[in-house]
Amino acid sequence: MSIDPLFQPVTLGTLELPNRIIMAPLTRARADLGHVPTAMMATYYAQRADSGLIVSEATAVDPLGMGWYRAPGIWTDEMVAAWRRVTDAVHAAGGRIVCQLWHMGRLVLPDYLNSALPIAPSAIAGEGETFAPRAAGDTSLLLPMKPYVVPREMNEDDIARAVSSYGRGAANAMAAGFDGVEIHAANGYLIDQFLQSRTNLRSDDYGGSVENRTRFLREAIAAVTAHVAPGRVGLRISPTSARKGMGDENPQLLARTIGKAAQDAGLAYVHLIEPISSGFMEKPERPVIEDLRRDFAGAVIQNGSFDGPAASACIAAGQADAISFGRPYIANPDLVERLRADLPLAPANFDYAYVGEEAGYTDYPAAT
Ligand SMILES: Cc1cc2nc3c(=O)[nH]c(=O)nc-3n(C[C@H](O)[C@H](O)[C@H](O)COP(=O)(O)O)c2cc1C
């Protein structure tokens, strides 16, 4: 057996992984127009089943939190049945897959909500623009772009509905045969909007102090762990990311407080986006991985701009237990084998990252 730590088994909660190479969640927008997973998604994930663990692309738990053309959801029985084909294919290929549970909050365009406003902890628009749905008859490859809108501030009923939608999503994920779930609390989506001080100006129990800003996350975790054993639940966070108008007054304290919440709930792992170099995402001036670990004794997956040697070094140094790879998985279905044999990585065609059919999705060959 290789002495490279990347290829050593690891246990995250009760998830037993044969190696420490995780497939990061990648939105690829190959579901159908009703957000139901398609057969090509089963092929795509099964091709990548060698990874220690596949984290599915972000999967919406509620139609109010879905604002991405052809991204999948998991709120109907039809979606659950379609996901079952994906999980069966991954398991038949010897892999493991968890479902990333997603609510986009303020980042949903009204185009997806019959012109209603999206919901968020506070009425502050996201920064920038995003993909709008394709108009009927539009045959261009690229999707139209539109700016984010000012959302409607969530009331108590909105919060209760959103929390319970994570519980339903978790129950549905288990019914669909997933090995567990990952709560998406990163990248400026709903839970992150509650967590970070720049997007949460509430004066009730869900805003203000860092404990209050973590309340919605704790409630979402409780809703999820009512249906899934905590040893099969992960949490993805990006407390230092300022993308889409995010920002926190004290990311170190936030990371520590999130770690405490994960510890209290007995979660399997925290998946921290903390890039080691800037580019696709920014390398933080002050990393928070040690703050996260202060009160969290579970496994930590680190993500962001890793290659094989950097990943091995990070695990060997005891900084992280496993490393996730995002962009390398687009064009390298056999990433584990390529890293093991030190083979060159194929370049991805990013024109097809978020749009298209099989081309640029399931047609990247293995090296051997
Ligand atoms: C095409 C694409 C889709 C992504 N979709 C998701 C997603 O659904 N959920 C998520 O948490 N992060 C998503 N990300 C972020 C990646 O998981 C990862 O954090 C990022 O690519 C940095 O890792 P890397 O340097 O290994 O690529 C996406 C990134 C890309 C390039």
Side-chain angles (χ1 to χ4, degrees):
M1 189 189 271
S2 164
I3 55 158
D4 187 323
L6 261 186
F7 304 101
Q8 301 302 314
V10 67
T11 303
L12 314 179
T14 56
L15 294 165
E16 292 181 13
L17 280 44
N19 64 63
R20 297 165 186 240
I21 297 165
I22 313 290
M23 178 175 170
L26 293 172
T27 291
R28 303 299 310 277
R30 262 66 170 195
D32 72 15
L33 288 171
H35 307 290
V36 177
T38 54
M40 69 179 142
M41 290 167 62
T43 305
Y44 164 82
Y45 282 112
Q47 288 171 338
R48 289 154 177 79
D50 283 356
S51 66
L53 180 68
I54 296 172
V55 182
S56 82
E57 64 206 278
T59 300
V61 292
D62 190 287
L64 291 184
M66 164 50 83
W68 199 296
Y69 186 75
R70 290 187 61 184
I74 192 153
W75 67 83
T76 69
D77 291 346
E78 187 189 4
M79 292 165 172
V80 171
W83 272 119
R84 170 59 80 168
R85 290 196 309 233
V86 175
T87 62
D88 282 350
V90 169
H91 292 148
R96 297 138 299 279
I97 181 167
V98 295
C99 183
Q100 194 187 43
L101 302 178
W102 190 37
H103 189 306
M104 296 174 65
R106 69 177 185 165
L107 299 183
V108 181
L109 294 175
D111 307 61
Y112 292 95
L113 300 171
N114 292 321
S115 304
L117 290 178
I119 54 172
S122 299
I124 309 166
E127 264 176 31
E129 47 181 24
T130 189
F131 300 119
R134 193 189 295 289
D138 176 0
T139 56
S140 52
L141 177 64
L142 295 181
L143 295 167
M145 301 290 283
K146 285 194 181 176
Y148 294 116
V149 302
V150 177
R152 176 173 67 76
E153 181 180 305
M154 290 166 81
N155 59 33
E156 276 181 21
D157 291 344
D158 297 317
I159 292 177
R161 172 175 170 160
V163 166
S164 75
S165 71
Y166 285 98
R168 180 186 53 203
N172 285 348
M174 298 324 275
F178 281 98
D179 297 286
V181 299
E182 179 177 284
I183 299 170
H184 194 347
N187 295 347
Y189 294 112
L190 182 63
I191 297 177
D192 205 15
Q193 292 159 29
F194 273 94
L195 290 173
Q196 299 209 30
S197 56
R198 192 166 166 205
T199 46
N200 183 346
L201 305 182
R202 298 180 74 92
S203 52
D204 62 5
D205 288 349
Y206 292 90
S209 68
V210 70
E211 277 75 24
N212 275 358
R213 284 185 275 118
T214 318
R215 186 179 309 278
F216 182 78
L217 168 67
R218 284 183 181 268
E219 291 183 359
I221 292 173
V224 166
T225 54
H227 299 280
V228 186
R232 293 180 173 271
V233 177
L235 173 66
R236 193 167 213 230
I237 59 169
S238 57
T240 58
S241 172
R243 295 171 95 209
K244 301 173 197 154
M246 299 307 294
D248 191 73
E249 62 198 14
N250 188 342
Q252 287 70 39
L253 181 61
L254 179 58
R256 185 173 179 186
T257 311
I258 294 169
K260 230 181 264 171
Q263 179 66 23
D264 290 347
L267 299 191
Y269 68 84
V270 176
H271 189 172
L272 174 68
I273 301 174
E274 183 150 281
I276 55 168
S277 61
S278 292
F280 184 65
M281 291 168 168
E282 291 306 298
K283 177 181 182 210
E285 273 173 32
R286 160 102 160 70
V288 300
I289 194 160
E290 284 177 20
D291 303 280
L292 169 66
R293 278 194 179 283
R294 287 253 298 265
D295 295 305
F296 179 61
V300 173
I301 303 172
Q302 192 176 345
N303 168 258
S305 299
F306 280 92
D307 59 12
S312 296
C314 178
I315 296 170
Q319 178 171 311
D321 300 281
I323 300 295
S324 75
F325 295 83
R327 290 163 294 167
Y329 258 113
I330 293 177
N332 298 279
D334 55 341
L335 183 67
V336 172
E337 274 321 301
R338 292 199 199 218
L339 294 180
R340 198 193 303 268
D342 202 18
L343 298 172
L345 299 190
N349 181 347
F350 282 92
D351 288 351
Y352 295 96
Y354 299 109
V355 284
E357 305 294 337
E358 281 87 354
Y361 186 56
T362 50
D363 59 353
Y364 289 108
T368 50

